[in-house]
């Protein structure tokens, strides 16, 4: 990611946060919370039963994303399934950010790949 | 047909790679050991190279590459966290976006670029984070069936998972979800007491015996609601991690009489008492969770993993409580171990490799000696190339006697022998060793070798068959994951009241507490490693020789590094550490190097500035 791309990506992430996500905060605070923030005296237990108690073969493959479009689609599908259409609407914008933020790590030249074989 | 799987954990803290072939663990190592950058989070290219070499394969022969975490679910959590926290969470969101959307999401690209291909499957597979922890604990364990308990800071949404492993694989039935986390609660106190989150937790645990649980009630009344069944919730009003880069907030400060301790400043009675208080709460929670896991699973044995499972004081209590017949804990319980767990999970859960059990009833982790080894010929070539004087003793018993005699004479020795350990502890393959009988050895080793003052005693290694002579311990503890009491007749009582009124920890620590002062903590406990001859014959032989010479079958074992440095990997790393410190003797396989014979060691720059404190 070049510094120009970096600037663009940062601006887009900022827009995503302030224009798309922050407006959802009020809703979350008004009661549609995504998770509990503290104790619930009426609860008999705080354990959450997992829907799927085992990993299927499909579960191993599901998170693979070849590019940002696939990521956007999978994210939207995840949020539709979990009953969060308000977030699913933000998925394309997040995918665009992912495309801009993509940062292949630089190879660190100081470290020899053969360091463990010594010579 | 054979199935070979590479597991990877990276992009968070302490990257690692592991390789599993037909269910057998072939190799595993942390990236930091090769890159020499402590807790290196980068894609583990060196560790991967090593794993492939150890297995004698090329990347295109891999059946699968498996990542230990689901980035989609992790992103789901980050987004929901930031929406809940609102505007103050922007900075956190920006950082998380860069790391998840910019890096973690593209793990398949990193793998392709590093390896040149994606193996036979042509894509990266993923496991859920706690399934990876669970697999790292269950599959290598000696139990055909077991209850599973995983506990960490957070992985995707889960912070705690309870389930069961048997011939049908792994099932995780119940979880506790973010932000409610025992790992994060403990890390909050680690931060508040001035230690580094993610690595200083060990120090907090070591500090606890100096304190009294005077804040326990406050913690229970305000910070955590712990149910009888072990499930819990934190009160997020007191924590900072939802919307800032601090673990705690002003309300937390107010609860405990002021702001967090500044790192490196003097440790006060408050920190000692806080450490003891949160330790007490954690232990209670772990015992309740374990009882629940026993009831739910119906299994007589327990396996554990996740960063909280490295709390060996809690583990020791759990063992003595007798809730389970037997307990086995994965030594690489932090996220590095996720690489091994991911590979094992895919081997059994995706490819259907049959599980390997040890016919002798022990585990299949090979003593956790899963990293690179160096032959005597490689060591000698290195020494001769640099002209470093050495003495070679080929006879293993003769060598053990010579080294044991040096220890008995008070010499501090760097010991590199066999394959490097996987996980945070040195277990005799990359260790600094010394005589635990000496009253001054603890401060000598701390000041002259580790360059730190420490309130923590060193850990002892003893022969598996006579651990009970020294400790109240009747099971193996090969991975230094159990704290046990030093036997009462060995202890020297002291005035507890004066102790609790004393703020000068060094005065306390320098007071002998048993006939093994360097390894006995102020509460007369020790973090024991029992050594089995099958796991590490050379290390076993050495302790046996020390016993023959001194009558004591126990030695000090501390990691082979200076403070803030990753544990050494190669003979070159070991030699450098040896020469930078005041160690007397260095053992590199069958070669012995005496400091007094070595040429002067010149280095550019001050290496002490290279390493950060935990
Ligand atoms: Fe974890």
């Amino acid at each position: 990611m070049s510094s120009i791309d970096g600037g663009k990506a940062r601006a887009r992430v900022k827009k995503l946060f302030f224009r798309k996500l922050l407006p959802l905060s009020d809703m979350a605070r008004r009661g549609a919370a995504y998770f509990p923030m503290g104790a619930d005296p009426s609860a008999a237990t705080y354990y959450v039963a997992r829907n799927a108690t085992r990993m299927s073969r499909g579960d191993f493959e599901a998170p693979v994303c070849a590019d940002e479009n696939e990521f956007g689609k999978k994210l939207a599908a995840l949020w539709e399934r979990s009953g969060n259409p308000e977030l699913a609407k933000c998925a394309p914008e997040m995918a665009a950010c992912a495309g801009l933020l993509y940062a292949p790590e630089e190879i660190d030249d100081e470290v020899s790949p053969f360091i463990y074989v010594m010579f | 047909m054979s199935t070979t799987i590479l597991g990877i954990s990276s992009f968070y803290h302490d990257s690692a790679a592991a390789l599993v072939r037909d269910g057998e663990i072939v190799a595993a190592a942390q990236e930091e050991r090769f890159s020499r950058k402590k807790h290196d989070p980068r894609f583990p290219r060196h560790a991967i190279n090593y794993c492939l070499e150890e297995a004698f394969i090329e990347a295109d022969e891999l059946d699968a590459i498996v990542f230990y975490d689901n980035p989609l679910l992790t992103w789901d959590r980050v987004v929901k966290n930031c929406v809940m926290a609102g505007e103050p969470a922007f900075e956190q969101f920006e950082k998380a976006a860069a790391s998840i959307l910019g890096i973690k999401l593209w793990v398949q690209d990193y793998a392709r670029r590093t390896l040149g291909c994606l193996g036979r499957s042509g894509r990266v597979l993923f496991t859920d984070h706690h399934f990876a922890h669970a697999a790292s604990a269950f599959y290598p364990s000696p139990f055909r069936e077991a209850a599973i308990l995983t506990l960490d800071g957070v992985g995707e949404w889960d912070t705690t998972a309870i389930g069961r492993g048997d011939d049908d694989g792994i099932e995780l039935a119940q979880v506790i979800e973010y932000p409610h986390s025992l790992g994060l609660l403990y890390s909050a106190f680690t931060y508040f007491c001035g230690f580094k989150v993610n690595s200083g937790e060990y120090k907090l645990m070591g500090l606890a015996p100096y304190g009294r649980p005077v804040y326990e009630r406050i913690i229970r009344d305000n910070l955590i609601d712990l149910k009888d069944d072990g499930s819990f919730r934190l009160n997020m009003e007191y924590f900072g991690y939802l919307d800032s880069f601090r673990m705690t907030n002003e309300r937390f400060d107010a609860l405990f009489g002021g702001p967090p301790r500044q790192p490196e400043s003097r440790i006060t009675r408050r920190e000692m008492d806080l450490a003891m208080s949160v330790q007490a709460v954690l232990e209670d929670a772990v015992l309740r969770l374990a009882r629940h896991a026993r009831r739910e699973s119906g299994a007589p044995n327990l396996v554990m993993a996740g960063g909280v499972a490295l709390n060996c004081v809690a583990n020791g209590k759990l063992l003595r409580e007798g809730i389970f017949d037997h307990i086995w804990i994965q030594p690489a319980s932090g996220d590095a171990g996720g690489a091994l767990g991911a590979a094992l999970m895919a081997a059994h859960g995706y490819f259907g490799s049959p599980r390997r059990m040890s016919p002798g009833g022990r585990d299949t982790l090979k003593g956790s000696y899963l990293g690179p080894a160096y032959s005597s010929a490689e060591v000698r070539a290195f020494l001769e190339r640099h002209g470093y004087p050495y003495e070679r003793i080929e006879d293993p018993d003769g060598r053990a006697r010579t080294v044991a005699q040096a220890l008995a004479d008070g010499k501090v020795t760097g010991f590199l022998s066999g394959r490097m350990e996987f996980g945070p502890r040195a277990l005799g393959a990359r260790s600094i060793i010394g005589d635990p009988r000496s009253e001054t050895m603890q401060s000598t080793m701390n000041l002259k070798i580790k360059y730190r003052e420490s309130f923590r005693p060193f850990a002892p290694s003893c022969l598996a068959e006579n651990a009970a002579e020294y400790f109240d311990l009747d099971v193996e503890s090969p991975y230094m994951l159990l704290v046990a009491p030093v036997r009462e007749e060995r202890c020297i009582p002291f005035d507890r009241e004066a102790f609790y009124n004393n703020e000068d920890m060094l005065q306390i620590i320098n007071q002998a507490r048993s006939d093994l002062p360097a390894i006995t903590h102020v509460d007369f406990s020790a973090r024991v490693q029992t050594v089995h001859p099958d796991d590490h014959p050379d290390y076993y032989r050495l302790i046996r020789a020390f016993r023959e010479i001194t009558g004591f079958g126990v030695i000090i074992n501390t990691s082979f590094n200076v403070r803030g440095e990753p544990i050494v990997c190669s003979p070159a790393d070991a030699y450098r550490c040896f020469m930078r410190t005041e160690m007397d003797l260095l053992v590199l396989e069958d070669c012995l190097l005496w400091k007094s014979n070595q040429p002067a060691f010149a280095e550019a720059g001050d290496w002490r500035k290279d390493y950060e404190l935990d």
Side-chain angles (χ1 to χ4, degrees):
Chain A
M1 189 167 59
S2 70
S3 59
I4 299 170
D5 290 346
K8 259 196 228 162
R10 265 198 304 280
R12 193 97 181 232
V13 167
K14 195 168 178 182
K15 211 169 102 187
L16 166 66
F17 183 82
F18 284 98
R19 299 231 185 122
K20 305 256 181 187
L21 296 181
L22 211 49
L24 303 177
S25 282
D26 292 337
M27 189 186 81
R29 281 206 199 101
R30 279 199 307 271
Y34 290 128
F35 49 77
M37 296 284 279
D40 173 2
S42 69
T45 181
Y46 295 132
Y47 287 118
V48 177
R50 279 184 69 107
N51 293 330
T53 60
R54 292 178 186 273
M55 276 195 74
S56 69
R57 278 178 67 90
D59 292 334
F60 285 91
E61 297 162 1
V64 182
C65 294
D67 55 31
E68 60 258 41
N69 289 333
E70 193 176 4
F71 169 63
K73 280 188 195 132
K74 286 191 173 172
L75 203 52
L78 169 77
W79 280 329
E80 292 293 352
R81 275 198 312 276
S82 64
N84 304 116
E86 74 288 0
L87 291 175
K89 269 190 240 153
C90 305
E93 189 54 27
M94 290 176 186
C97 286
L100 285 173
L101 285 166
Y102 174 60
E105 258 184 331
E106 295 295 311
I107 300 287
D108 186 351
D109 283 329
E110 284 170 30
V111 179
S112 157
F114 303 110
I115 198 157
Y116 58 88
V117 278
M118 272 196 321
F119 314 115
Chain B
M1 206 183 73
S2 165
T3 309
T4 309
I5 298 160
L6 178 71
I8 291 170
S9 67
S10 73
F11 306 135
Y12 172 58
H13 183 259
D14 212 5
S15 293
L19 195 135
V20 170
R21 182 183 279 148
D22 298 329
E24 184 193 349
I25 302 164
V26 174
Q30 290 137 274
E31 182 70 0
E32 63 161 25
R33 305 294 168 86
F34 305 105
S35 69
R36 310 305 301 154
K37 179 179 161 26
K38 183 107 166 161
H39 307 309
D40 196 341
R42 292 173 294 182
F43 192 76
R45 56 175 64 91
H46 305 102
I48 291 172
N49 279 343
Y50 156 67
C51 286
L52 296 177
E53 282 218 353
E54 188 71 48
F56 294 107
I57 60 163
E58 299 294 332
D60 58 6
E61 296 169 85
L62 288 169
D63 289 280
I65 299 162
V66 193
F67 190 67
Y68 81 125
D69 194 273
N70 181 332
L72 284 171
L73 291 177
T74 303
W75 181 245
D76 173 44
R77 167 173 51 85
V78 165
V79 169
K80 287 175 176 166
N81 179 130
C82 290
V83 170
M84 289 284 285
E87 195 165 346
F90 173 63
E91 244 184 287
Q92 229 183 13
F93 182 74
E94 209 179 16
K95 279 241 160 57
S99 103
I100 299 172
L101 300 185
I103 298 173
K104 203 174 195 179
L105 190 59
W106 307 110
V107 58
Q108 185 161 285
D109 273 30
Y110 282 91
R112 187 187 288 115
R113 244 197 338 271
T114 304
L115 295 163
C117 69
L118 291 174
R120 293 196 174 111
S121 69
R123 64 179 161 198
V124 167
L125 300 177
F126 294 80
T127 61
D128 286 355
H129 188 104
H130 278 261
F131 271 94
H133 279 316
S136 78
F138 174 64
Y139 288 117
S141 80
F143 313 134
R144 184 150 293 284
E145 56 170 342
I148 297 173
L149 177 57
T150 62
L151 298 158
D152 69 1
V154 59
E156 294 124 11
W157 275 98
D158 301 336
T159 68
T160 306
I162 288 179
R164 180 188 160 85
D166 55 28
D167 289 342
D168 295 329
I170 287 174
E171 181 182 45
L172 295 181
Q174 291 177 319
V175 293
I176 298 194
E177 293 182 334
Y178 181 86
H180 310 290
S181 162
L182 287 179
L184 293 174
L185 173 72
Y186 207 79
S187 291
F189 280 88
T190 301
Y191 162 83
F192 193 74
C193 291
F195 305 117
K196 222 183 201 175
V197 169
N198 261 333
S199 50
E201 283 75 7
Y202 232 68
K203 294 187 181 173
L204 193 71
M205 184 184 77
L207 184 60
Y210 289 90
R212 281 172 293 194
V214 295
Y215 298 106
E216 185 179 348
R217 193 71 262 155
I218 296 180
I219 296 173
R220 288 178 190 273
D221 287 348
N222 297 278
L223 301 184
I224 184 168
D225 183 31
L226 179 60
K227 302 269 191 202
D228 287 340
D229 67 0
S231 65
F232 57 88
R233 283 223 189 128
L234 303 185
N235 183 350
M236 294 316 297
E237 287 176 18
Y238 290 92
F239 296 90
Y241 55 84
L242 286 187
D243 60 2
S244 75
F245 294 110
R246 296 179 58 201
M247 291 299 293
T248 58
N249 61 18
E250 296 73 25
R251 297 194 60 171
F252 194 100
D253 298 354
L255 212 48
F256 299 110
R261 168 184 166 255
Q262 286 302 308
E264 296 289 289
S265 67
R266 201 170 65 87
I267 293 171
T268 67
R269 177 87 355 239
R270 180 183 75 154
E271 283 79 51
M272 302 179 208
D273 291 339
L274 281 170
M276 187 47 147
S277 304
V278 72
Q279 180 67 30
V281 173
L282 178 85
E283 286 167 12
D284 183 27
V286 169
L287 293 184
R288 292 185 200 203
L289 284 161
R291 280 191 204 101
H292 181 71
R294 168 97 217 213
R295 276 193 303 272
E296 291 290 304
S297 69
N301 302 317
L302 174 71
V303 297
M304 287 171 76
V308 179
L310 292 173
N311 193 302
C312 37
V313 178
N315 297 343
K317 293 252 165 80
L318 180 56
L319 178 75
R320 286 189 289 284
E321 199 71 13
I323 299 166
F324 286 94
D325 297 355
H326 303 283
I327 297 173
W328 192 86
I329 303 155
Q330 165 58 240
S333 256
D335 280 357
L340 177 61
L344 287 167
M345 191 67 210
H348 302 291
Y350 188 87
F351 289 98
S353 295
R355 186 175 171 209
R356 301 220 174 198
M357 301 281 295
S358 154
R362 302 187 73 235
D363 67 51
T364 54
L365 199 69
K366 303 178 177 174
S368 210
Y369 304 110
L370 299 168
Y374 298 84
S375 68
S376 171
E378 282 176 296
V379 167
R380 280 177 284 129
F382 163 73
L383 296 175
E384 275 158 26
R385 190 165 147 235
H386 293 278
Y388 300 145
Y390 66 93
E391 171 192 4
R392 186 175 181 211
I393 306 179
E394 285 180 80
D395 167 39
D397 290 313
R399 188 166 68 241
R401 270 196 305 278
T402 304
V403 179
Q405 187 61 57
L407 295 180
D409 293 340
K411 307 294 184 208
V412 179
T413 301
F415 194 73
L416 183 152
S417 171
R419 296 183 68 181
M420 182 176 70
E421 302 87 344
F422 181 53
R425 305 278 83 85
L427 300 169
R430 303 290 184 277
S431 292
I432 298 173
I433 51 181
D435 184 346
R437 299 170 303 160
S438 154
E439 276 184 39
T440 54
M441 191 50 83
Q442 185 175 357
S443 61
T444 303
M445 285 177 70
N446 271 323
L447 295 175
K448 293 191 171 177
I449 284 112
K450 293 282 186 169
Y451 295 108
R452 66 179 180 199
E453 287 187 317
S454 180
F455 49 82
R456 293 175 300 158
F458 290 111
S461 295
C462 66
L463 302 179
E465 66 270 22
N466 48 40
E469 284 177 33
Y470 306 97
F471 311 104
D472 287 335
L473 182 70
D474 56 6
V475 298
E476 274 195 69
S477 176
Y479 305 117
M480 222 183 249
L481 285 167
L482 296 172
V483 162
V486 174
R487 284 192 72 94
E488 204 179 336
E489 63 271 22
R490 296 188 172 273
C491 296
I492 304 165
F494 61 93
D495 179 357
R496 295 286 312 171
E497 265 325 292
F499 167 72
Y500 286 127
N501 292 325
N502 190 346
E503 287 239 353
D504 182 359
M505 301 174 76
L506 287 175
Q507 202 184 324
I508 300 169
I509 198 91
N510 289 331
Q511 192 178 333
R513 286 171 297 276
S514 78
D515 59 356
L516 296 163
I519 57 96
T520 306
H521 211 332
V522 293
D523 59 354
F524 304 110
S525 70
R527 185 160 44 92
V528 184
Q529 179 197 5
T530 59
V531 180
H532 193 282
D534 291 352
D535 290 339
H536 201 316
D538 265 358
Y539 196 46
Y540 180 88
R541 241 181 246 119
L542 169 64
I543 302 168
R544 195 178 55 193
F546 187 76
R547 182 180 165 91
E548 281 160 13
I549 293 168
T550 66
F552 282 76
V554 184
I555 62 172
I556 295 175
N557 172 7
T558 183
S559 54
F560 197 153
N561 59 348
V562 291
R563 72 175 199 178
E565 181 197 16
I567 295 176
V568 302
C569 175
S570 70
D573 300 334
Y575 187 83
R576 194 186 316 118
C577 186
F578 173 60
M579 292 307 291
R580 282 172 172 179
T581 59
E582 294 173 54
M583 268 183 255
D584 304 291
L585 173 65
L586 173 63
V587 180
L588 299 175
E589 297 301 338
D590 59 2
C591 298
L592 275 61
L593 289 82
W594 293 94
K595 177 65 68 58
S596 49
N597 296 340
Q598 299 306 309
F601 189 66
E603 273 188 294
D606 182 0
W607 59 268
R608 286 179 185 82
K609 294 194 179 124
D610 294 348
Y611 302 121
E612 263 181 75
L613 276 184
D614 275 350

